[in-house]
Amino acid sequence: MNVRIRNAETGGTVDMELEGENTVQEIIQGASAFWNKDDGAYVIRKGKRLLRGQQSVAQSGIADSDELELIPDPEGGA
Amino acid sequence: MTGTIRPGFIDEDRYDRSRRIAWLDVERVRRTKCLVVGVGALGNEVVKDLVLSGIQDITIVDMDQVVRSNLNRCVFFREGDAERSLAKVDVVAQRAMELAPDVRINSIEGKVEDIATEELVRFDVIFGCLDNIAARLHLNAQAGHVKVPYIDGGTDGFRGKVQVVLPPATPCLQCAMNQSHQRILERRFSCTGAEVVVHERKIAAEITTSSIIAAIQVREALKVISGRSEACIRHVEYYDGYQVRSECYELELDPDCPNHG
């Protein structure tokens, strides 16, 4: 299946080819590598739901043509 | 209804305008005990908002001293505090008490790990105002263990987030972790578990985002304290000040999360 990943910081998109056994964290790794993201943490959302990293594409209910968003997970506060 | 009033009586009550919010339980707010871990950018703002909201019993924890680069976002710190390298907790305690004379602030100069889990039971709400994932996960686990609501804030430049954890019902910080968080933790700790802060990036920070995220943390706490938990964020609110976006996203409980066993 093919999904579209949106970069929450820039609005840019990239299409990603996935198998059911791929994991959400593989999507995060792939997308952050594509956009040369820094060493920070990231999460992925589908609609109003944050996807758990350990889940597979099949388990997380990702379907063909879905749009996912890669969001930086802010770590600072001091 | 009868009684005696005099002109201007409305403005003699410090909390008159708060009492006009129907759902806000001001008396309960005043009896609430809060723990704020980290009194940097978020912690300064959280303490300020708690004190002005009427919370009278606040414990603050931080191991750092004031430095000049804190001064772009910390309302309680002054140039002289940085010059004298004063402990952040001492400065925040002193200046916060100037805001409201009846507030009691107990300051602990140390690490979050220095607080025994059993000591957390006395608090009604715990605030995470930290700057690293390891300390957040520790506090999240401790708060979950004693079943005290935990409200975590995080910022990076014009971005921020708030997660509300109401143990044991809602997902916790650990439930939201993935390998990108794990990589950050691995850089911070050696294979023996000893802390080796060799690659700690300086995270962008400015006052508008700090104050907004801290205000959301305190707003959510006021709901919890007033018995309005059903109106709280489910479960994480992400804020993007540059693109003017703020949205709440739901999380699932991770069945393998050690905090929900």
Side-chain angles (χ1 to χ4, degrees):
Chain A
M1 75 179 78
N2 279 291
V3 297
R4 178 156 293 178
I5 317 288
R6 180 171 297 279
N7 180 340
E9 292 175 282
T10 65
T13 61
V14 63
D15 291 338
M16 191 179 281
E17 202 175 301
L18 295 172
E19 304 292 337
E21 62 268 25
N22 285 130
T23 62
V24 171
Q25 45 206 18
E26 286 173 332
I27 300 175
I28 294 172
Q29 278 172 3
S32 45
F34 177 78
W35 281 304
N36 295 314
K37 294 286 190 187
D38 64 18
D39 295 335
Y42 295 89
V43 292
I44 285 269
R45 77 168 175 97
K46 178 190 171 191
K48 290 285 189 185
R49 201 159 54 89
L50 291 178
L51 304 182
R52 281 198 295 112
Q54 301 82 352
Q55 281 190 315
S56 69
V57 165
Q59 288 169 328
S60 58
I62 296 172
D64 191 40
S65 304
D66 272 351
E67 183 166 305
L68 311 176
E69 188 174 51
L70 181 73
I71 306 172
D73 203 23
E75 191 197 353
Chain B
M1 197 164 80
T2 59
T4 308
I5 60 169
R6 60 174 184 268
F9 78 97
I10 269 174
D11 289 329
E12 288 173 10
D13 176 8
R14 185 181 182 105
Y15 301 104
D16 173 81
R17 301 307 189 266
S18 300
R19 291 184 210 284
R20 290 163 191 267
I21 300 165
W23 60 264
L24 187 61
D25 189 338
V26 174
E27 295 315 315
R28 208 156 149 191
V29 167
R30 298 188 72 186
R31 292 194 304 271
T32 297
K33 297 176 178 65
C34 290
L35 172 66
V36 181
V37 183
V39 287
L42 286 175
N44 262 249
E45 291 290 317
V46 162
V47 170
K48 177 202 74 181
D49 290 354
L50 290 175
V51 170
L52 293 178
S53 297
I55 308 274
Q56 293 180 304
D57 187 329
I58 303 170
T59 297
I60 57 176
V61 183
D62 200 301
M63 62 186 288
D64 289 332
Q65 289 79 43
V66 180
V67 293
R68 202 147 186 272
S69 63
N70 298 143
L71 301 179
N72 76 328
R73 59 193 183 279
C74 296
V75 67
F76 289 131
F77 298 161
R78 308 282 182 268
E79 290 276 354
D81 305 328
E83 284 162 14
R84 292 188 285 157
S85 298
L86 296 181
K88 286 181 176 177
V89 285
D90 292 339
V91 176
V92 169
Q94 182 199 327
R95 304 254 156 76
M97 286 190 282
E98 291 170 7
L99 287 178
D102 51 359
V103 69
R104 291 180 305 280
I105 300 201
N106 172 35
S107 56
I108 299 172
E109 188 177 0
K111 291 196 274 191
V112 58
E113 293 85 353
D114 297 339
I115 311 167
T117 307
E118 55 270 23
E119 288 175 32
L120 300 181
V121 180
R122 82 173 197 90
F123 297 106
D124 301 298
V125 183
I126 297 172
F127 293 88
C129 302
L130 295 150
D131 63 357
N132 70 84
I133 292 171
R136 279 192 173 88
L137 287 180
H138 177 85
L139 189 57
N140 167 71
Q142 303 292 83
H145 185 70
V146 294
K147 297 188 172 45
V148 175
Y150 174 55
I151 304 179
D152 183 76
T155 62
D156 190 342
F158 275 83
R159 291 182 162 275
K161 78 159 186 183
V162 176
Q163 182 167 349
V164 177
V165 184
L166 304 173
T170 65
C172 71
L173 268 65
Q174 183 79 49
C175 294
M177 296 288 132
N178 61 52
Q179 279 178 357
S180 66
H181 302 90
Q182 192 59 40
R183 274 200 308 276
I184 292 170
L185 285 172
E186 284 165 5
R187 278 200 306 271
R188 193 177 174 92
F189 292 94
S190 72
C191 57
T192 61
E195 205 161 354
V196 287
V197 185
V198 291
H199 182 76
E200 199 169 68
R201 75 185 173 109
K202 294 294 180 192
I203 298 172
E206 54 82 49
I207 183 58
T208 69
T209 304
S210 300
S211 60
I212 286 168
I213 295 303
I216 295 171
Q217 289 180 271
V218 174
R219 180 195 72 196
E220 294 305 295
L222 293 174
K223 293 178 192 171
V224 172
I225 295 162
S226 299
R228 301 294 176 130
S229 297
E230 76 282 357
C232 283
I233 293 168
R234 276 178 60 90
H235 299 106
V236 191
E237 180 169 346
Y238 279 90
Y239 165 82
D240 179 342
Y242 182 73
Q243 298 186 58
V244 201
R245 276 176 65 183
S246 182
E247 287 189 86
C248 294
Y249 301 124
E250 292 200 9
L251 264 170
E252 289 172 12
L253 275 173
D254 180 351
D256 298 323
C257 176
N259 300 323
H260 299 282

